[in-house]
Short mmCIF file of all heavy atoms in Angstrom, two decimals:
data_model
loop_
_atom_site.label_atom_id
_atom_site.label_comp_id
_atom_site.label_asym_id
_atom_site.label_seq_id
_atom_site.Cartn_x
_atom_site.Cartn_y
_atom_site.Cartn_z
N PHE L 1 106.92 94.43 79.64
CA PHE L 1 106.94 94.60 81.10
C PHE L 1 107.83 93.49 81.81
O PHE L 1 107.68 92.35 81.52
CB PHE L 1 105.47 94.49 81.65
CG PHE L 1 105.32 94.69 83.15
CD1 PHE L 1 105.43 95.94 83.59
CD2 PHE L 1 105.15 93.69 84.01
CE1 PHE L 1 105.29 96.23 84.89
CE2 PHE L 1 104.98 93.89 85.35
CZ PHE L 1 105.11 95.20 85.81
N ASN L 2 108.74 94.04 82.64
CA ASN L 2 109.58 93.11 83.37
C ASN L 2 109.07 92.97 84.71
O ASN L 2 109.27 93.72 85.69
CB ASN L 2 111.04 93.70 83.49
CG ASN L 2 112.02 92.71 84.03
OD1 ASN L 2 111.90 92.24 85.11
ND2 ASN L 2 113.07 92.36 83.26
N ASN L 3 108.36 91.80 84.95
CA ASN L 3 107.69 91.48 86.21
C ASN L 3 108.73 91.10 87.31
O ASN L 3 108.55 91.39 88.48
CB ASN L 3 106.68 90.40 86.02
CG ASN L 3 105.76 90.25 87.21
OD1 ASN L 3 105.01 91.19 87.55
ND2 ASN L 3 105.88 89.14 87.95
N GLN L 4 109.84 90.54 86.84
CA GLN L 4 110.80 90.04 87.83
C GLN L 4 111.48 91.21 88.58
O GLN L 4 111.73 91.10 89.81
CB GLN L 4 111.91 89.22 87.07
CG GLN L 4 113.06 88.68 87.99
CD GLN L 4 114.05 87.86 87.26
OE1 GLN L 4 113.97 87.71 86.01
NE2 GLN L 4 114.99 87.30 87.93
N LEU L 5 111.74 92.33 87.86
CA LEU L 5 112.34 93.39 88.57
C LEU L 5 111.38 94.35 89.22
O LEU L 5 111.78 95.19 90.09
CB LEU L 5 113.28 94.20 87.60
CG LEU L 5 114.54 93.50 87.01
CD1 LEU L 5 115.18 94.42 86.04
CD2 LEU L 5 115.44 93.11 88.15
N SER L 6 110.16 94.30 88.82
CA SER L 6 109.10 95.31 89.29
C SER L 6 108.80 95.00 90.76
O SER L 6 108.88 93.88 91.21
CB SER L 6 107.87 95.22 88.39
OG SER L 6 108.11 95.64 87.13
N ARG L 7 108.54 96.09 91.45
CA ARG L 7 108.26 96.02 92.86
C ARG L 7 107.16 96.92 93.29
O ARG L 7 106.97 98.03 92.67
CB ARG L 7 109.51 96.39 93.71
CG ARG L 7 110.72 95.51 93.55
CD ARG L 7 110.51 94.16 94.24
NE ARG L 7 111.69 93.36 94.13
CZ ARG L 7 112.08 92.53 93.06
NH1 ARG L 7 111.26 92.41 92.05
NH2 ARG L 7 113.17 91.86 93.17
N ASN L 8 106.40 96.51 94.29
CA ASN L 8 105.48 97.39 95.01
C ASN L 8 105.75 97.26 96.43
O ASN L 8 105.50 96.19 96.98
CB ASN L 8 103.99 97.09 94.68
CG ASN L 8 103.06 97.88 95.52
OD1 ASN L 8 103.38 98.93 95.95
ND2 ASN L 8 101.85 97.25 95.80
N PHE L 9 106.17 98.35 97.07
CA PHE L 9 106.44 98.30 98.53
C PHE L 9 105.48 99.15 99.32
O PHE L 9 105.68 99.46 100.46
CB PHE L 9 107.89 98.76 98.78
CG PHE L 9 108.90 97.80 98.27
CD1 PHE L 9 109.36 97.85 96.96
CD2 PHE L 9 109.38 96.76 99.08
CE1 PHE L 9 110.32 96.96 96.48
CE2 PHE L 9 110.36 95.88 98.62
CZ PHE L 9 110.83 96.03 97.32
N THR L 10 104.37 99.54 98.76
CA THR L 10 103.37 100.34 99.45
C THR L 10 102.34 99.37 100.04
O THR L 10 102.06 98.30 99.62
CB THR L 10 102.64 101.30 98.50
OG1 THR L 10 101.81 100.60 97.54
CG2 THR L 10 103.60 102.19 97.79
N ILE L 11 101.68 99.86 101.13
CA ILE L 11 100.58 99.24 101.70
C ILE L 11 99.45 100.22 101.56
O ILE L 11 99.50 101.37 101.99
CB ILE L 11 100.78 98.86 103.21
CG1 ILE L 11 101.94 97.90 103.34
CG2 ILE L 11 99.55 98.36 103.82
CD1 ILE L 11 102.27 97.59 104.80
N ASP L 12 98.27 99.76 101.07
CA ASP L 12 97.07 100.66 101.00
C ASP L 12 96.68 101.11 102.34
O ASP L 12 96.71 100.27 103.31
CB ASP L 12 95.93 99.91 100.27
CG ASP L 12 96.18 99.74 98.76
OD1 ASP L 12 97.11 100.43 98.22
OD2 ASP L 12 95.40 99.00 98.12
N ILE L 13 96.28 102.28 102.49
CA ILE L 13 95.84 102.85 103.79
C ILE L 13 94.37 103.20 103.59
O ILE L 13 93.99 104.22 103.01
CB ILE L 13 96.65 104.06 104.17
CG1 ILE L 13 98.09 103.73 104.20
CG2 ILE L 13 96.15 104.64 105.53
CD1 ILE L 13 99.02 104.99 104.41
N PRO L 14 93.47 102.36 104.08
CA PRO L 14 92.04 102.58 103.89
C PRO L 14 91.57 103.94 104.50
O PRO L 14 90.76 104.64 103.85
CB PRO L 14 91.31 101.44 104.64
CG PRO L 14 92.39 100.38 104.70
CD PRO L 14 93.67 101.11 104.79
N ASN L 15 92.08 104.28 105.71
CA ASN L 15 91.60 105.55 106.32
C ASN L 15 92.82 106.35 106.81
O ASN L 15 93.81 105.82 107.15
CB ASN L 15 90.70 105.24 107.59
CG ASN L 15 89.51 104.38 107.22
OD1 ASN L 15 88.75 104.78 106.27
ND2 ASN L 15 89.31 103.29 107.83
N ASP L 16 92.65 107.67 106.80
CA ASP L 16 93.74 108.54 107.27
C ASP L 16 93.73 108.71 108.81
O ASP L 16 92.84 108.06 109.45
CB ASP L 16 93.72 109.91 106.58
CG ASP L 16 92.44 110.68 106.92
OD1 ASP L 16 91.82 110.49 107.97
OD2 ASP L 16 92.12 111.55 106.13
N SER L 17 94.64 109.40 109.37
CA SER L 17 94.75 109.47 110.79
C SER L 17 93.57 110.13 111.44
O SER L 17 93.33 110.10 112.66
CB SER L 17 96.05 110.25 111.17
OG SER L 17 96.06 111.56 110.58
N ASP L 18 92.76 110.93 110.67
CA ASP L 18 91.60 111.53 111.21
C ASP L 18 90.33 110.75 111.07
O ASP L 18 89.29 111.21 111.36
CB ASP L 18 91.41 112.93 110.58
CG ASP L 18 92.57 113.90 110.85
OD1 ASP L 18 93.16 113.86 111.97
OD2 ASP L 18 92.89 114.72 109.90
N GLY L 19 90.50 109.49 110.55
CA GLY L 19 89.37 108.62 110.37
C GLY L 19 88.67 108.75 109.07
O GLY L 19 87.72 108.13 108.78
N GLY L 20 89.06 109.63 108.18
CA GLY L 20 88.50 109.85 106.87
C GLY L 20 89.08 108.79 105.83
O GLY L 20 90.03 108.15 106.12
N GLU L 21 88.39 108.71 104.69
CA GLU L 21 88.86 107.79 103.63
C GLU L 21 90.16 108.29 103.06
O GLU L 21 90.31 109.55 102.81
CB GLU L 21 87.81 107.66 102.60
CG GLU L 21 88.21 106.66 101.49
CD GLU L 21 87.18 106.51 100.37
OE1 GLU L 21 87.22 107.46 99.57
OE2 GLU L 21 86.43 105.62 100.39
N PHE L 22 91.18 107.39 102.96
CA PHE L 22 92.41 107.83 102.31
C PHE L 22 92.51 107.00 100.95
O PHE L 22 92.28 107.60 99.89
CB PHE L 22 93.58 107.47 103.23
CG PHE L 22 94.85 108.06 102.79
CD1 PHE L 22 95.07 109.41 102.85
CD2 PHE L 22 95.91 107.33 102.32
CE1 PHE L 22 96.31 110.01 102.45
CE2 PHE L 22 97.11 107.76 101.84
CZ PHE L 22 97.26 109.19 101.96
N ASP L 23 93.03 105.83 100.92
CA ASP L 23 93.08 105.02 99.79
C ASP L 23 91.78 104.32 99.41
O ASP L 23 91.52 103.84 98.33
CB ASP L 23 94.23 103.97 99.83
CG ASP L 23 95.62 104.62 99.78
OD1 ASP L 23 95.72 105.59 99.10
OD2 ASP L 23 96.51 103.97 100.39
N GLY L 24 90.89 104.14 100.40
CA GLY L 24 89.72 103.38 100.14
C GLY L 24 89.92 101.90 100.48
O GLY L 24 91.05 101.55 100.92
N PRO L 25 88.93 101.01 100.33
CA PRO L 25 89.05 99.67 100.69
C PRO L 25 90.19 98.96 99.99
O PRO L 25 90.49 99.25 98.78
CB PRO L 25 87.68 99.10 100.24
CG PRO L 25 86.70 100.22 100.20
CD PRO L 25 87.59 101.46 99.75
N CYS L 26 90.80 97.95 100.64
CA CYS L 26 91.85 97.20 100.09
C CYS L 26 91.29 96.16 99.12
O CYS L 26 90.36 95.49 99.45
CB CYS L 26 92.71 96.51 101.10
SG CYS L 26 93.44 97.69 102.30
N GLU L 27 91.94 96.03 97.94
CA GLU L 27 91.49 95.00 97.02
C GLU L 27 92.09 93.70 97.10
O GLU L 27 91.62 92.71 96.56
CB GLU L 27 91.71 95.51 95.53
CG GLU L 27 91.10 96.89 95.19
CD GLU L 27 91.89 98.07 95.53
OE1 GLU L 27 92.99 97.91 96.16
OE2 GLU L 27 91.54 99.16 95.12
N PHE L 28 93.29 93.63 97.79
CA PHE L 28 94.09 92.47 97.91
C PHE L 28 94.36 92.13 99.32
O PHE L 28 94.43 93.06 100.18
CB PHE L 28 95.39 92.45 97.15
CG PHE L 28 95.12 92.69 95.57
CD1 PHE L 28 95.09 93.98 95.03
CD2 PHE L 28 94.98 91.60 94.77
CE1 PHE L 28 94.83 94.14 93.69
CE2 PHE L 28 94.76 91.78 93.44
CZ PHE L 28 94.71 93.04 92.93
N ARG L 29 94.56 90.87 99.67
CA ARG L 29 94.85 90.47 101.04
C ARG L 29 96.12 91.21 101.51
O ARG L 29 97.10 91.26 100.73
CB ARG L 29 94.97 88.93 101.19
CG ARG L 29 93.71 88.17 101.09
CD ARG L 29 93.82 86.71 101.36
NE ARG L 29 92.69 86.00 101.32
CZ ARG L 29 92.17 85.37 100.21
NH1 ARG L 29 92.89 85.42 99.08
NH2 ARG L 29 91.08 84.69 100.23
N GLY L 30 96.10 91.63 102.76
CA GLY L 30 97.23 92.33 103.23
C GLY L 30 97.36 93.75 102.75
O GLY L 30 98.25 94.44 103.10
#
């Protein structure tokens, strides 16, 4: 695994636009 080149540019979305669960609770700050 190459950690230096790896990227995550997503942000978890706990709820969708209708107020329902989407990704669920965030596990990490931010």
Side-chain angles (χ1 to χ4, degrees):
F1 186 74
N2 188 302
N3 193 64
Q4 182 179 1
L5 292 178
S6 293
R7 297 288 186 273
N8 171 28
F9 292 87
T10 67
I11 297 176
D12 287 349
I13 305 172
N15 302 306
D16 62 26
S17 58
D18 296 326
E21 184 183 77
F22 191 71
D23 287 330
C26 299
E27 301 90 351
F28 298 92
R29 288 188 178 92

